[in-house]
Amino acid sequence: MRATPLAARAHILAAVVCATLCVLPALRPGAGIAWTTVGLLTALYLACELPGRCRLLGSSVPISAGSFFPLLLAAAFLLPPAAAALVAIPGSLVGRVEHAPATARRIWRAAQLALTVWAASCVHGLLGGGATLGGPGPERLPDFPYALLPACAAALAFSLVLTALDGSILATAERLPLRHAWSGLLPRSLGPHLVHGLAGLMMAVLWRSSYGPVSALFVLLPMYISCWIFSQYHREHAAHRATIRALVQAVDIKDTYTRGHSERVGRASVLIARELGMAEDRLEVLRFAGILHDVGKLCVPTRVLRKDGPLTPEERRVIELHPEYGHEIVRGIGFLGEARAAILHHHERLDGSGYPYGLSGREIPEFARVVAVADAFDAMTSTRSYRRGRPVPAAVEELKRCAGTQFDPQMVRALARGLDRHGWSTASTVVTADEAVPVPRVGGGGGTGAVRRPVRPRSPDGLEPAPGRAAAGGGLDVAGGRAVAADGSGLAPGAQSPVDRTR
């Protein structure tokens, strides 16, 4: 508890006091509580939480209390508010927590769930929900569909109180502004909590029926299995993201000049894909393709990436191998799917003069054509030490001019539509180098603007375009012809960019 901020400790203490006041009426003599039902529900909730503490099972069972919310809501429907609040406390105090401080988190969760279940039970009772659940015998059937009204109202109260308490602890423990702490909590949780409420209603009806409490387990078991499957999916997805993050960080460490470039290419690729109407299941893979398009630079010698001077023909050939290196790095990562082909072919050109294989037209995979446009767009709009990023409209016009030869016109049009619809935030065009130096501002008005300077001016792939050549998108293009230059100028081969630095 000592590691918990003082405001958070005071907030937890206040929640504990309120929870204690809520459960006290159940402990008074003559309260008329059905202690058998309280004991069974408490033991069942405790049994559901305990596997998370087991070393053998802990990593494979759902650790979120949401896995067992139907059971808590069933308690809210079956018991008076004070008794229902008691059901949540023992299981919450022994449940597994992922992060320190464990004691503070367990105490908070117990108080939070006690208050939440108490509120849900109060709402359910005020609407006469207890009488709608029926009882043993054919003469006491559940009152459907009216039983749905108090159950859904109780689930709504459950969701409101739970999210309110979640936001309040975030505001006090992490010092977030209230509007940020509560932002999005209720919309994300309301749907699942209503589903939990319906499952809890089924449990309560079966519990009250002639089949007894054992029959209620037939509702809880499939809910638990579905939550376990869902948690496994999220665990796997988190592992995927961690893999991608590790690769991107490795690239950023090796070539800090383009830090942030990969993430922005991923964002721009998804922007294009949405305008094309791609299926949702492909969007995440395409985002991975954009983020990892330059992962092959890990295999390029650092002395080549950071060379202070023109590259030799041999060094240029080494650089041109980075798409193939990247493909080899990700070859065994199965979840990347189509992204692997995009990493390999994102420097191909529509007219067949790209590399590594000189594919043309529709021979180039769709993902690669998307990433090529996104890569070039970010290269032109990102600020470099030797020139400022081009305005978004100018970059789009340059892409349109090169469409049909270097880029797929369909992808360029999709990017233009996406930018018109959603814009391109300033966060996506931050400086991508390391040291700040003042340089003259582009345009009138005088003054200077702070941009960041690396060891030397380089293109987005860590290269200075050689005379007579241009960099396609964010990388090296040795195919000749009209192309987007590394500095975003779109100069013809052999032309001198006004922002090129003489060395």
Side-chain angles (χ1 to χ4, degrees):
M1 286 287 287
R2 291 181 180 178
T4 308
L6 181 60
R9 277 184 278 171
H11 190 63
I12 293 171
L13 180 60
V16 170
V17 171
C18 292
T20 302
L21 294 175
C22 288
V23 301
L24 277 178
L27 304 178
R28 292 173 182 169
I33 302 298
W35 288 109
T36 301
T37 301
V38 172
L40 286 173
L41 287 170
T42 302
L44 190 55
Y45 181 56
L46 188 64
C48 288
E49 288 283 4
L50 279 176
R53 299 288 298 275
C54 177
R55 292 184 178 181
L56 297 177
L57 301 176
S59 61
S60 62
V61 299
I63 62 170
S64 169
S67 307
F68 317 114
F69 281 170
L71 180 57
L72 296 180
L73 283 162
F77 301 154
L78 289 166
L79 297 168
L86 277 173
V87 171
I89 294 175
S92 301
L93 289 174
V94 303
R96 179 182 172 187
V97 293
E98 286 287 281
H99 307 288
T103 301
R105 289 178 181 274
R106 288 194 179 100
I107 293 173
W108 165 254
R109 188 168 66 177
Q112 179 191 34
L113 289 179
L115 290 170
T116 303
V117 175
W118 180 86
S121 183
C122 285
V123 171
H124 190 258
L126 286 174
L127 295 175
T132 67
L133 300 178
E139 68 282 356
R140 298 184 59 191
L141 295 176
D143 186 10
F144 284 109
Y146 179 76
L148 296 173
L149 177 60
C152 289
L156 177 60
F158 185 95
S159 187
L160 286 171
V161 175
L162 188 65
T163 54
L165 292 171
D166 278 338
S168 66
I169 195 64
L170 285 174
T172 54
E174 301 185 16
R175 298 180 176 87
L176 293 176
L178 285 177
R179 62 188 183 88
H180 293 308
W182 279 312
S183 177
L185 286 179
L186 184 61
R188 288 196 301 268
S189 61
L190 185 56
H193 289 162
L194 287 175
V195 174
H196 294 154
L198 295 176
L201 176 61
M202 293 172 62
M203 287 189 66
V205 169
L206 288 172
W207 194 288
R208 284 273 189 91
S209 72
S210 57
Y211 297 103
V214 176
S215 63
L217 296 178
F218 289 102
V219 178
L220 184 62
L221 184 61
M223 287 292 295
Y224 182 81
I225 293 173
S226 65
C227 286
W228 178 81
I229 294 172
F230 194 63
S231 68
Q232 293 299 103
Y233 165 78
H234 276 281
R235 228 176 243 114
E236 182 179 357
H237 199 60
H240 292 173
R241 291 196 302 271
T243 301
I244 301 301
R245 186 165 54 250
L247 289 172
V248 171
Q249 287 175 344
V251 175
D252 285 345
I253 290 170
K254 184 157 188 174
D255 189 8
T256 57
Y257 184 78
T258 57
R259 182 169 294 150
H261 170 67
S262 297
E263 288 83 354
R264 293 192 301 272
V265 172
R267 288 182 54 225
S269 297
V270 172
L271 188 68
I272 295 170
R274 290 192 186 280
E275 293 300 317
L276 295 174
M278 275 192 191
E280 286 293 325
D281 59 344
R282 300 180 70 200
L283 291 182
E284 185 74 355
V285 178
L286 178 59
R287 188 175 71 85
F288 289 158
I291 290 174
L292 294 175
H293 73 286
D294 274 342
V295 70
K297 289 197 296 185
L298 290 173
C299 299
V300 176
T302 304
R303 62 176 178 79
V304 176
L305 285 177
R306 300 183 180 181
K307 182 178 179 182
D308 188 12
L311 297 175
T312 66
E314 179 61 30
E315 289 169 337
R316 297 177 75 82
R317 283 193 289 271
V318 170
I319 281 291
E320 290 168 22
L321 290 174
H322 81 270
E324 294 177 275
Y325 290 149
H327 184 259
E328 287 301 313
I329 289 173
V330 302
R331 180 190 292 274
I333 305 178
F335 68 84
L336 288 178
E338 293 179 84
R340 296 193 293 267
I343 293 167
L344 178 62
H345 297 294
H346 71 278
H347 279 300
E348 305 285 3
R349 291 173 48 129
L350 215 63
D351 60 8
S353 59
Y355 64 91
Y357 300 133
L359 302 183
S360 62
R362 296 293 172 175
E363 293 177 344
I364 305 171
E366 183 182 27
F367 276 19
R369 285 179 273 134
V370 171
V371 172
V373 172
D375 188 19
F377 172 74
D378 184 68
M380 288 189 285
T381 55
S382 297
T383 294
R384 306 302 181 200
S385 62
Y386 51 89
R387 55 96 181 139
R388 283 196 168 276
R390 303 186 73 179
V392 168
V396 172
E397 286 303 313
E398 187 66 25
L399 290 172
K400 289 179 178 178
R401 186 182 59 75
C402 296
T405 54
Q406 187 173 354
F407 306 114
D408 187 330
Q410 183 184 15
M411 309 307 174
V412 174
R413 290 192 296 269
L415 176 63
R417 291 195 305 269
L419 293 172
D420 288 341
R421 192 189 309 269
H422 303 290
W424 189 249
S425 67
T426 55
S428 64
T429 54
V430 295
V431 178
T432 54
D434 297 319
E435 301 171 26
V437 294
V439 298
R441 290 190 185 276
V442 177
T448 61
V451 298
R452 297 180 182 257
R453 165 180 263 173
V455 177
R456 66 180 182 87
R458 294 176 290 137
S459 78
D461 262 331
L463 305 173
E464 186 77 28
R469 300 296 183 187
L476 181 68
D477 180 7
V478 295
R482 187 78 165 174
V484 176
D487 59 8
S489 62
L491 298 175
Q496 179 71 28
S497 167
V499 292
D500 281 343
R501 306 279 281 268
T502 303
R503 293 166 299 153

